[in-house]
Structure formats: structure tokens, C-alpha cells
Amino acid sequence: MQKQVFIINGAGGVGKDTICSCAAQYFRVRNISSITPILEVAKAGGWDGEKTLAARRLLSRLKEVFTEYNDLSFQYCIKQYQAFEQSADEILFLHVREPKEIHRLKQYIGSSCRTLLIRRPDVSSQHYGNHSDDDVESYAYDLYFDNLPPLETLPERVKKFFEKI
């Protein structure tokens, strides 16, 4: 398989990490989130890992501030992409929420990069009160994967999805 990069997104609880785990059963996968360096900053400031609405707003605002200050998340993703290019991994999943950052990363990476929105109809669209979560569907994604039941058939459906690409 030729190396592929997927900028992956979806509302909270749709199964993004589950899809990545299923893909890892069949392919050599690297799974990276643009929020990782921001989580470290938040932990140093007292965040305990909770995913409340207030915590989600905090993380979104921190990411925005560090994007303006030193482009921390984008630079982190670029370093992870460069490491992926030197690895034996076949698929890189880059979890990115914000449409502007998705666009920038796709432009930087080029033709080996596609955007992927994970959807699950039984997960209600919730208003989180921050642009990172609330603008998830404000982008024209290249690919869509509907994470539908039953769960026991998901690994095979994920395999077929990525084999077609």
C-alpha cells in the first residue's frame, strides 16, 4: 500500500479512534492528534483530563492562542508527518478539528492527503460553545465514513473502505 494521510474529524463520540483502531488491525497505522501538545499545556495548568463543556472550551481557546503565538499544533503535526514519511507505516491519521487548520495541513502535505469525516447518526449534534467542536461539519471533506451498527462488522467495513482508497 502506498503511504496515505487522512485528516480525520467528526463530532465527539462518533468513533474516530475506534475507526483508527480497526484500520490498525489490517494496516500499519500511526494515529496523531493536533491537540496533543495543547493537552500537555492544559495539564500543567491544572486540567485533569475531563471532557466537560468548560474543558472543551478551554482546550479550544488554548489551541487558538498557541496557534497565534507559535503555531504549536500545526508544527507538531508537520513533525509527526515527517516522521511518518520516514517510517514503515502505511496510514497516518491526523485528528484535526478546525477547518482552517485542516486546509493548511492538506495544502502542506499535498496529493497523498485526504480529509475524512466520520459520522454516526445515533450521536446527536451537540452545541459545545467552541469553534473547534461546533464547526466540525463546516468543511467540504474528500471522504465520509458512516459508522453504523453493528459494531462486530466494523473492522471488516473499515478494511474494505481503506482498501478501496
Side-chain angles (χ1 to χ4, degrees):
M1 171 184 243
Q2 189 175 24
K3 285 183 175 285
Q4 294 281 323
V5 178
F6 296 94
I7 299 174
I8 188 169
N9 204 357
V14 297
K16 296 176 294 293
D17 284 320
T18 302
I19 300 298
C20 296
S21 294
C22 288
Q25 293 177 28
Y26 303 101
F27 309 101
R28 289 184 304 272
V29 169
R30 194 174 284 216
N31 192 15
I32 304 299
S33 176
S34 66
I35 198 72
T36 298
I38 303 305
L39 297 179
E40 296 305 313
V41 172
K43 286 176 188 173
W47 176 65
D48 63 2
E50 64 188 352
K51 288 191 175 183
T52 63
L53 291 178
R56 294 178 87 86
R57 280 191 300 275
L58 167 71
L59 295 173
S60 178
R61 289 178 184 156
L62 276 175
K63 186 171 182 186
E64 187 176 314
V65 167
F66 274 96
T67 295
E68 291 172 11
Y69 178 68
N70 64 4
D71 220 4
L72 180 63
S73 292
F74 184 82
Q75 295 304 320
Y76 172 78
C77 288
I78 296 306
K79 287 178 186 170
Q80 295 300 317
Y81 166 70
Q82 291 168 342
F84 165 74
E85 282 292 298
Q86 302 303 312
S87 76
D89 294 328
E90 299 168 305
I91 296 175
L92 172 63
F93 289 111
L94 284 171
H95 295 251
V96 182
R97 299 296 237 166
E98 302 80 10
K100 285 182 183 178
E101 190 163 327
I102 292 170
H103 180 74
R104 287 177 62 212
L105 279 165
K106 186 174 181 189
Q107 294 297 112
Y108 179 89
I109 295 169
S111 63
S112 67
C113 181
R114 295 193 182 138
T115 57
L116 171 62
L117 180 67
I118 307 299
R119 302 180 291 199
R120 197 169 97 197
D122 62 332
V123 173
S124 64
S125 295
Q126 178 178 349
H127 180 74
Y128 292 95
N130 70 78
H131 71 89
S132 298
D133 288 309
D134 294 337
D135 293 343
V136 164
E137 297 204 24
S138 300
Y139 187 85
Y141 294 89
D142 299 316
L143 303 163
Y144 297 86
F145 184 90
D146 292 319
N147 185 6
L148 304 169
L151 186 58
E152 54 271 4
T153 65
L154 184 61
E156 188 62 30
R157 287 183 285 132
V158 168
K159 177 185 177 197
K160 287 178 183 177
F161 179 83
F162 287 105
E163 283 177 340
K164 279 194 245 179
I165 300 169

